[in-house]
Structure formats: C-alpha cells, structure tokens
C-alpha cells in the first residue's frame, strides 16, 4: 500500500487551527444571508427539515470523504484525484472532477464577492445612523437605492475581492488561523444578542413556527433540490475547498470527530440566523420570500430599535464581513494551489490572475440587480442562473462524484487506514452511506429537481 505523504504547502499548526479554518470556510454568507432567504422563498419549516436531513445524511459523509481524499493526496484537488485514482488502479481522468471543482469555486466567488461587498457597505450604512428609528419602508428604500446603483456596488465588490486576494496571496496558514480564533466566538455572541432582541418582539412564536413547523404542501421538488444544494454550499462541499483544507491536516487527527464539530457549528449559526430574522419579518409584516435582500431589509430594523443598536449593528456586519472573508478565501484556494503546482506561478501572481477574472465575472452579478434585471435566461437573472448552476447543479454533482470516488474507486484498505477509526460501526456506517445512500439521494433529488425547475414535471 502506498505511503501517506506530506503537503508541499505545509500543515495546520494544530487540530484547532484546522477546525477553525474549516469552520471559517463553512460559516459564511451561506448561513447568514442565503439560508434565511431561501428558507423564506421555499415556504419555511418543511424546507428546513429537508435541509437538516441533507446535512446529516449527505453532508457529514461527504465532508468525511473530502477531508480524507485531501489528506491522502496532499495536492491541489485536480492532482490529488488523479494521483489517488492511479494509486487505486483507476483512470487518471478523475482529475476532471477536480477541474469542475476549481471552476465552481471561481464562479461562486464571483457573486460571493458582490454580496460580501453589500455587507461591507452595510457596516458603514449602519454606522452612519440612517437606521435609527427607521421604518420598514425606510429600510427597504435604503436597500433598493443601494442595489439600484451599479457603481457603488462595484466599488465594494472591488474592495472585497482585494481583501480576499491579499489573504490568499499570503498563504492561508499565517493570517487566517488568527482571524477565525476571535471571529467565531464573536459571531455567536452577536447572533445570541439578535435572537434576544427577536424574542422581545411579539412575533417570536411566529418566527419559530415558520422555521420549525413543516408545511409540506409548500415544498416543491425544486425546493428539495435547493435544500440539498444548500447543504453542500453551507458546508463548502463538492468543489475541493474542504479537500484542500484537509490536505494541510496532520495524519494524527481524527477526521470524523473534526467533521462533526464543523457541521455542528455551521448548522447552529444558520438556525440562529433564522431565529433572529424571521420574528422581525413577521413583526413588521415583511415578506419572507423577499429574496437576496432579506437580511438587509430586516436586521437594520432590529438595530434601529434596540438600545445600542448602532453599535451592535456595526459589530454584527463586521462579523459577517469576517465570516464571508474566511469563506471566500477557501473558494479560490483550490484554483490557487493548482496554478502554483501545475504552472509554477507564485502565489501572488496566481492571486492577481484569478482575482481579475473573478472580479470581471462579478460585474454580471452587480448588473443583474439593476441595469440587467430584465435580462432573463430560463426565467432567471444572471445572478440567479449562476447561483442555480453552481449551488444546485455543480456542487451536488461534485459531491456525488466525490462519494463515488471515496466509496467505489479508493480501496477499502486505503480509506480504513486514512480514517483510522477501525473497522467498527462508525466506519461501516460511513461506508454504507457514501456507497449507496448519498449517491442515490443526490441522483433522485437532482433529476426530479431539475425536471421540476425547467418545468417538465410539476411536483
Ligand atoms: N460555505 C460558505 C458559506 O456558507 C461558502 C463557501 C466557501 C463554499 N467555500 C465553499 C461553498 C466551497 C461551496 C463550496 O458561505
């Protein structure tokens, strides 16, 4: 059997550094911005249940598989998959799976950076005090006029992209371990403060019911596909980000235990964000299905009405910026390591090239909220289409192939050695899940969801 190897990029300084960095990758705009608005757009409770099921039955096993593959290969995702395929006597063409991941990360980052820019802008909007005693209409007007102007968004998008590339160019180990250490606890505290505020509104019960009381009539096959896609998105799975982070993990650490911690933290942040937001939505007669602007049209209302709101509001948006930042670097890290290893570029050069390309693509997302808002393909704007293509198609497809790779291509002995948990119940359940359940679930949801989304069947 081949020997375990080491990464040419170095290792995390400790187990906690890995857990924090991977949690930093997982917890991001997906939890605080995206989860509430897609929950609102898909009817609430039933959607949340499907999402939680996908986290447990698909997300956990695939995260274990991705970290394991990354740590085994110790290269960028493209070369890792090629190497491990060859090691197992399979075709090196498996590298294309890594290639799809690199592409997905690049596409996601292009719009992630635009929304990251919105959050940056809201740090300053909130600080200016415009939300003091604001009404629901006032807050909505501020948001609409902001997204209505391409120029302002372009400036913030540029700043966010530069921030991302500066950190990535320095190497993930140096700055990011530190940032995540104070960020994650801070984010939790602020979310608790916001949930505390929401509890004081009369509509806390409505919010809780909306999130946790399933109304399966409100759920479509497309909604199930979105929930599954979001399980991948929120855990940073299906494109090699967690794989590359796993490649910096020491051999001595337990992959299963670290995975459970990362998933628990990520899920907790999403549910807390939902508990903070939906009571405010109902207390102010807002529309839960308001779309990508949801948190920007609800949270400022809470900040405008609670004591010390400006202070907490600024702090909150700063935390969200940090959360987005520790995620955005992981979106581009696979591409960077590939450019460094394959083309011999320096890290800074790779960052400049990929930064400029991603930035240019991001312009499409900026314009889809204003000048191009009427331009539709399959009934979707540029941003919606990019989001659907990546989160609902590329990530589940990537995850499907990753589980097939881990369960059917890699030798059983290799995975046994790498996971190092013995051949007991935990290992056997994992293997059963990635062998049968995950691929089957992804295929079923995928096919029905896509048919439903393009209108072939109505489910
Ligand atoms: N998980 C992050 C979030 O929820 C986004 C993200 C970072 C991501 N890296 C990823 C999504 C890799 C998919 C794949 O905001």
């Amino acid at each position: 059997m081949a020997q375990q190897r080491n990464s040419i990029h170095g290792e995390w300084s400790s187990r906690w550094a890995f857990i924090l960095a991977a949690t930093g990758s997982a917890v991001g705009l997906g939890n605080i911005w995206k989860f509430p608005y897609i929950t609102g757009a898909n009817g609430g409770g039933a959607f949340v249940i499907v999402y939680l099921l996908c986290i447990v039955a698909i997300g956990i096993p695939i995260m274990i598989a991705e970290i394991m593959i990354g740590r085994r290969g110790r290269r960028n995702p493209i070369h890792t998959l090629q190497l491990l395929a060859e090691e197992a006597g399979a075709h090196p063409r498996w590298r294309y799976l890594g290639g799809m991941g690199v592409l997905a990360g690049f596409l996601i980052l292009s719009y992630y950076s635009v929304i990251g820019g919105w959050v940056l802008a809201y740090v300053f909007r909130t600080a200016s005090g415009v939300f003091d005693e604001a009404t629901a209409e006032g807050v909505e007007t501020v948001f609409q006029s902001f997204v209505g102007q391409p120029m302002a968004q372009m400036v913030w998008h540029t700043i966010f992209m530069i921030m991302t590339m500066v950190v990535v160019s320095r190497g993930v180990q140096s700055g990011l371990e530190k940032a995540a250490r104070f960020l994650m606890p801070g984010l939790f505290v602020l979310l608790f403060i916001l949930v505390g505020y929401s509890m004081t509104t009369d509509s806390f019960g409505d919010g809780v019911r909306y999130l946790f009381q399933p109304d399966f009539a409100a759920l479509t096959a497309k909604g199930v596909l979105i929930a599954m896609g979001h399980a991948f998105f929120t855990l940073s799975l299906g494109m090699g980000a967690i794989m590359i982070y796993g490649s910096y993990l020491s051999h001595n650490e337990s992959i299963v235990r670290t995975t459970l911690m990362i998933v628990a933290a990520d899920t907790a942040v999403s549910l807390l964000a939902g508990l903070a937001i939906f009571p405010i939505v109902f207390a102010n007669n807002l529309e839960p299905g308001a779309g990508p602007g949801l948190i920007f049209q609800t949270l400022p209302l809470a900040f405008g009405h609670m004591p010390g709101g400006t202070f907490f509001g600024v702090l909150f948006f700063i935390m969200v910026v940090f959360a987005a930042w520790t995620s955005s670097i992981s979106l581009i890290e696979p591409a960077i390591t590939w450019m460094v290893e394959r083309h011999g570029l320096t890290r800074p050069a790779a960052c400049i090239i990929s930064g400029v390309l991603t930035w240019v693509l991001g312009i499409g997302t900026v314009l889809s909220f204003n000048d191009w808002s009427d331009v539709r393909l399959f009934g979707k704007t540029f941003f919606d289409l990019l989001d659907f293509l990546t989160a609902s198609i590329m990530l589940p497809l990537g995850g499907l192939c990753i589980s097939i790779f881990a369960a059917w291509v890699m030798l059983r002995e290799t995975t046994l050695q790498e996971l190092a948990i013995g051949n007991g119940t935990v290992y056997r359940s994992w293997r059963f899940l990635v062998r049968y359940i995950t691929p089957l679930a992804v295929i079923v949801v995928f096919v029905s969801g896509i048919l439903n989304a393009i209108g072939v069947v109505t489910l």
Side-chain angles (χ1 to χ4, degrees):
M1 183 185 304
Q3 280 306 303
Q4 292 176 324
R5 41 185 94 70
N6 293 311
S7 169
I8 59 166
H9 302 275
E11 275 187 8
W12 300 110
S13 60
S14 68
R15 176 160 82 108
W16 279 104
F18 169 71
I19 293 177
L20 284 170
T23 307
S25 166
V27 174
L29 295 174
N31 306 67
I32 297 160
W33 160 74
K34 196 172 183 193
F35 172 73
Y37 93 76
I38 58 177
T39 298
N42 288 284
F47 179 86
V48 175
I49 289 187
V50 176
Y51 156 77
L52 291 174
L53 274 177
C54 290
I55 291 283
V56 173
I58 302 178
I60 293 177
I62 292 188
M63 184 178 284
I64 293 173
E66 249 197 81
I67 299 176
M68 178 192 76
I69 292 171
R71 187 168 75 174
R72 186 78 192 175
R74 299 275 196 208
R75 306 263 191 296
N76 69 80
I78 297 178
H79 289 151
T80 281
L81 286 162
Q82 174 167 353
L83 187 73
L84 297 190
E86 283 167 350
E87 189 178 297
H91 202 285
R93 219 178 277 138
W94 276 98
R95 66 174 177 273
Y96 292 123
L97 171 56
M100 182 175 78
V102 166
L103 180 67
F106 160 78
L107 296 177
I108 296 174
L109 182 60
S110 79
Y111 74 78
Y112 207 86
S113 168
V114 173
I115 312 297
W118 290 7
V119 181
L120 270 174
Y122 264 66
V123 171
F124 294 91
R125 287 255 168 355
T126 311
S128 76
V130 281
F131 299 127
D132 279 351
E133 305 294 326
T135 59
E137 295 76 47
V139 169
E140 200 179 325
T141 310
V142 171
F143 178 74
Q144 295 302 349
S145 77
F146 173 64
V147 294
Q149 310 159 11
M151 270 329 281
Q153 286 181 79
M154 289 289 294
V155 171
W156 294 112
H157 164 50
T158 309
I159 295 174
F160 189 86
M161 190 61 84
I162 291 173
M163 284 166 54
T164 300
M165 292 306 166
V166 165
V167 175
V168 179
S169 72
R170 291 186 177 176
V172 182
Q173 285 99 325
S174 57
L176 261 291
E177 289 190 14
K178 281 177 224 135
R181 204 163 301 212
F182 83 91
L183 156 80
M184 288 304 145
L187 190 67
F188 267 101
V189 171
L190 281 160
L191 275 173
F192 276 117
I193 292 177
L194 274 174
V195 173
Y197 170 80
S198 277
M199 289 172 95
T200 68
T201 65
D202 295 335
S203 303
F204 190 67
D206 294 338
V208 173
R209 266 192 298 283
Y210 186 76
L211 266 185
F212 296 112
Q213 209 171 62
D215 166 16
F216 285 98
L219 196 66
T220 59
K222 186 177 150 209
V224 175
L225 176 63
I226 293 176
M228 179 180 77
H230 189 64
F232 284 100
F233 187 93
T234 192
L235 295 176
S236 304
L237 297 177
M239 53 124 326
I242 289 293
M243 200 182 283
I244 200 81
Y245 277 28
S247 78
Y248 309 144
L249 179 65
S250 145
H251 289 299
N252 311 322
E253 306 302 347
S254 158
I255 292 179
V256 175
R257 207 168 329 131
T258 45
T259 295
L260 293 178
M261 286 195 244
I262 298 162
V263 172
D266 186 79
T267 309
V269 172
S270 289
L271 295 179
L272 283 173
L275 281 178
I277 286 160
F278 286 109
I280 304 172
V281 170
F282 295 118
N284 294 282
N285 293 318
L286 296 167
E287 176 49 50
L294 187 64
I295 68 161
F296 300 98
Q297 297 172 28
T298 49
L299 294 182
L301 277 173
F303 298 129
H305 295 271
M306 64 197 228
T310 303
F311 174 75
F312 287 127
V314 170
L315 216 54
F316 176 79
F317 282 117
I318 289 178
M319 291 288 171
V320 180
V321 168
F322 274 104
W325 200 2
T326 52
S327 299
S328 63
I329 57 164
S330 75
L331 281 163
I332 205 68
E333 178 72 8
I336 301 294
T337 50
W338 176 70
M339 290 163 94
V340 169
E341 289 175 27
R342 172 76 174 78
H343 296 287
L345 293 176
T346 61
R347 245 182 196 270
C351 287
I352 291 173
I353 296 172
S354 47
V356 169
L357 289 175
T358 335
W359 180 83
V360 170
L361 189 65
I363 297 173
T365 293
V366 168
L367 295 177
S368 72
F369 292 102
N370 36 69
D371 296 1
W372 292 358
S373 60
D374 295 329
V375 181
R376 302 284 161 125
L377 202 62
F378 304 115
K380 291 180 188 299
T381 63
F382 184 88
F383 160 71
D384 286 332
L385 198 65
L386 204 56
D387 176 39
F388 189 74
L389 176 70
T390 52
S392 294
I393 298 184
M394 294 175 89
L395 298 181
L397 203 60
L400 170 68
C401 297
I402 286 167
S403 55
I404 291 174
F405 188 84
W408 295 93
V409 176
M410 285 177 80
L411 303 177
R412 191 170 192 277
E413 295 71 49
T414 314
T415 59
L416 255 178
Q417 182 193 13
E418 204 56 54
L419 291 180
I421 41 174
N423 191 12
T425 324
V426 178
Y427 177 79
R428 284 160 195 259
S429 329
W430 170 77
R431 197 167 148 86
F432 179 75
L433 283 169
V434 277
R435 245 173 125 76
Y436 304 104
I437 305 302
T438 329
L440 209 67
V442 174
I443 290 172
V444 170
V445 173
F446 207 54
V447 172
S448 55
I450 298 212
L451 292 182
N452 183 231
I454 58 179
V456 176
V457 287
T458 42
L459 290 166

